[in-house]
Structures are given as C-alpha cells and as structure tokens.
Amino acid sequence: MGDERPSRLGKPVREGAPEAGRDDTGEQTHVTLQDVARRAEVSLATASRVLNGTTQVRPGLRERVLAAAAELAYAPNAHAQALARASSQAIGLICHDVSDPYFATIARGVARAAAEHGLLVMLASTFRDPAREVDYIAMLRAQRARAILLIGSGFEDRDWERAMNAELEPYIRVGGRVAVISRHRSLRVDTVQPENREGAAALARALLGLGHRDFAVLTGPHALTTVSDRLGGFRDALAEGGVLLAADQVVEGAFTRDGGYAAAAELLGRRLRASCVFAVTDVMAIGALAAFRDHGVDVPGQVSLAGFDDIPIVRDLVPPLTTVALPLDEMGERVVDLALREPRGSRSRVERIAGKVILRASTAVRSPGDAS
C-alpha cells in the first residue's frame, strides 16, 4: 500500500494510485471535473466557476484550474451540460447546521411545502463557514436548482456579502429564485424575517416585569445578524427600563448545546452576579441549564434562565424553558412560498414574523429582598 501525503485541502493523496484520467493499466479514461479540482487542489465549486466562465475567482486559483484542465485534457461532458441547462425539479436548502433543532424544524416545513409542489429538497449544512456557504451556492447554480433557500443568519462581513452577490445575481438573472430566512443586510432577495430584535426586547421587558434587575447574556458569534439583533434588542429594552447590562456579564460561545454549557461555565467563573440569564438561542440555553445543574446552581431558585426560538424540546426540560416562540414550521413553508412566487420586478419582498414571549418555570419572580 502506498504512502499518504496531505494535500493542500487536507485530504490524503495516495502515492502510487492511478493518475487522474487513467485506469490501472495506464489507458486514457474520461476526465471529470472532480479530477481537475483534485489536480488543482481546489474545491469542486471553484473548478466549476472557473471552467464555466465565472470571473469571481482569484487569479492564482483560476490559473491552477486552467493549468490542471489543460494537463488532463479535460473536455466538458456535453450531456451533463445539457442537463445542467434545464432547470431541475429540485430546490437547494442551505442552513448552518441541520442537527440544530431550530434548522431541523424549519427544514421540516420546507420539505412539507416542497412536496406539495412535487419538488425535491437538497440539503446542505455550512457549519457557519461563510466560504462554504458561497461554495454551496455555486454548486446549486451548476445543478440548475429551481430555487435556493438560505435559512441561516446572515454574516456581518463585507467580503462574504460581495461573494454571495457575485454568485446569486447571475443565477437570478437567468430565472433562478432565491429566498432567505433572517436578516441578510445586502442580499436583494425575498425574505422571511423573524423579528429578533423586537422579540428579545419583549422578553427583556417581561423579565423586568418579574422583578429582575441584574442580567447576563450568553451570545453566539457577533458576526451573525441574529446575534447582533437579539443582543441589541435585549440590551436596549433593559436600558429603557433603567438597567445597564454589564460588559463582563456577556459571554460569547458557539451556537450549540456545548457552546451554551461552556459560556455558562465561564460566566460562573467570572462570579455570576445576575439573577437572570438570557441565552440568545434555546440550544445554548439547554447547555446552560446543564452547566448550572452540574455546578450546583438551582434554576430558577438561584438564577432564572430564558432562551429564544421555542424549539420543541424546551417545554419538556426540567424546568420548562421560558423563551420567545417563533412559528418555525410555518417559516419553512413561507420561505418556499416566497421562492416559488412570480418575482415583483426588482423589488424584494419581506414577510415579518413576530415572536411571542412564553413564560415557563425556568424563570421566577424576583422580590426586592432576594439576594443575587
């Protein structure tokens, strides 16, 4: 068995394996786009963009792909190109992480609505990698997906915005449809927009109404628009109520159960002063609840805890979680409906989705005499 050496993409390349485009006997075989991408050590999406004439590729990468194609005598498969030119009966669904119940529940609504239209759903998780999101868009363009749905938060990142628009605008010009969930600042597409800022503000006012005056927040990455909107709305509503959110009581973590656990543990390490903790997603709140339990902190006896989204599991926690409920299934159905409607000229449509504060047993009334 030959030795392995790492490629620039981190995938092993086996020494002694047949060359791309040749079989074990050394005879010439059909060279695929994957062969070209492998030889150039770029992603399949990058190779596709270069060979299909897209200009939004760095010169160095473009030269590597063209050199690899020439070296392998790559010729595009005419049959595959003919299929690609015909719009398929598939829609692409791109989310941050399908294992997250927030995205899984929205995806269920998407799948239900797509089935009613006889459409197949192709699902991809980016794991919050902006470059991977752009690559998936390129792949779906190459597949001539009938529509592309982005159901994750946008990024506060100018480079990502430029790269996304460079992929989406040519797709839309030739009849592709795009719709998104959540706020994407510069994407000129139809949007189902949950009112994250307003929902977080309403939650803050409800918690103030329970008598809390000392708060902490567990956030996700600040580059995500969902995080900035929920944190901003919560902080502003506290300020309107005369309460300042201390900087050292805001802890950033991954948008996961383990991220919530780690952020809550870090908060405890900073000496928790808050009587109430807000996690900007329910998944983070689940991790925080476990961290408080493992550290002997009673919820809600010693600290109240609230989340956001109302994913299905939170009503079955012990104690059940106070949260801001969004109609996640309905959001999935509505984003499909937007994507399949006839476009309204150059104007984008925005459908706003209000959240509803649901007080459950994870938050308790705080009397003026209670100690923090």
Side-chain angles (χ1 to χ4, degrees):
M1 202 176 274
D3 294 333
E4 291 187 349
R5 56 184 172 84
S7 76
R8 219 173 311 182
L9 295 178
K11 296 180 180 178
V13 177
R14 189 173 299 282
E15 298 285 0
E19 291 184 42
R22 295 187 183 275
D23 62 20
D24 291 325
T25 67
E27 292 297 316
Q28 185 72 32
T29 63
H30 175 66
V31 177
T32 68
L33 183 61
Q34 182 69 60
D35 293 329
V36 175
R38 188 179 299 114
R39 178 63 61 90
E41 295 186 328
V42 300
S43 70
L44 183 62
T46 296
S48 175
R49 288 201 294 269
V50 171
L51 296 174
N52 286 327
T54 302
T55 59
Q56 303 297 325
V57 177
R58 294 202 309 273
L61 292 179
R62 183 178 182 80
E63 290 166 8
R64 275 166 43 195
V65 172
L66 293 176
E71 184 180 347
L72 296 174
Y74 170 74
N77 185 309
H79 176 63
Q81 286 191 331
L83 287 176
R85 283 193 293 268
S87 181
S88 73
Q89 288 301 103
I91 60 176
L93 174 62
I94 301 176
C95 68
H96 291 320
D97 184 356
V98 73
S99 68
D100 184 323
Y102 172 85
F103 295 113
T105 307
I106 292 174
R108 181 174 63 191
V110 168
R112 182 184 299 118
E116 291 176 357
H117 292 277
L119 297 172
L120 177 71
V121 178
M122 297 185 290
L123 176 63
S125 293
T126 67
F127 304 105
R128 298 182 178 84
D129 180 345
R132 183 175 293 166
E133 189 165 58
V134 175
D135 280 348
Y136 282 144
I137 296 289
M139 291 179 189
L140 289 167
R141 281 184 59 199
Q143 293 294 323
R144 295 298 296 135
R146 182 168 172 182
I148 296 174
L149 311 179
L150 304 174
I151 66 171
S153 171
F155 294 91
E156 300 279 5
D157 183 311
R158 293 291 187 186
D159 289 338
W160 171 83
E161 290 170 358
R162 282 192 290 268
M164 286 291 283
N165 280 315
E167 290 294 343
L168 292 176
E169 287 173 359
Y171 172 74
I172 293 170
R173 278 200 303 271
V174 297
R177 298 287 297 119
V178 179
V180 305
I181 290 178
S182 201
R183 183 169 66 86
H184 291 69
R185 182 175 58 185
S186 71
L187 302 187
R188 294 173 288 278
V189 295
D190 292 340
T191 305
V192 174
Q193 189 164 309
E195 295 186 332
N196 287 313
R197 178 175 287 274
E198 294 81 355
L203 177 64
R205 288 190 287 268
L207 297 172
L208 288 169
L210 294 178
H212 294 280
R213 291 297 179 270
D214 295 301
F215 292 88
V217 179
L218 310 180
T219 81
H222 286 267
L224 295 172
T225 57
T226 296
V227 172
S228 61
D229 289 347
R230 292 181 181 181
L231 176 59
F234 193 80
R235 177 186 279 130
D236 289 350
L238 292 184
E240 291 169 5
V243 172
L244 176 67
L245 180 62
D248 69 341
Q249 296 294 287
V250 178
V251 183
E252 181 177 332
F255 248 1
T256 61
R257 179 267 181 202
D258 290 345
Y261 188 104
E266 182 177 340
L267 184 64
L268 292 171
R270 296 181 184 183
R271 291 191 59 202
L272 174 67
R273 303 193 302 274
S275 67
C276 186
V277 175
F278 167 47
V280 297
T281 71
D282 287 345
V283 171
M284 292 188 76
I286 290 171
L289 183 62
F292 290 145
R293 181 188 61 234
D294 290 350
H295 288 80
V297 177
D298 180 66
V299 176
Q302 292 173 270
V303 63
S304 289
L305 177 66
F308 200 117
D309 293 327
D310 200 32
I311 60 176
I313 194 174
V314 297
R315 66 201 68 177
D316 298 321
L317 298 175
V318 180
L321 185 68
T322 288
T323 190
V324 179
L326 293 174
L328 302 178
D329 269 287
E330 179 188 340
M331 286 162 55
E333 294 170 356
R334 289 173 72 169
V335 77
V336 172
D337 178 62
L338 268 185
L340 298 182
R341 281 189 215 166
E342 286 299 314
R344 186 194 294 169
S346 60
R347 294 180 59 191
S348 300
R349 292 169 286 218
V350 178
E351 294 192 3
R352 300 191 180 277
I353 305 291
K356 178 182 178 182
V357 175
I358 299 180
L359 295 176
R360 297 192 179 108
S362 69
T363 51
V365 173
R366 193 77 169 176
S367 66
D370 288 339
S372 296

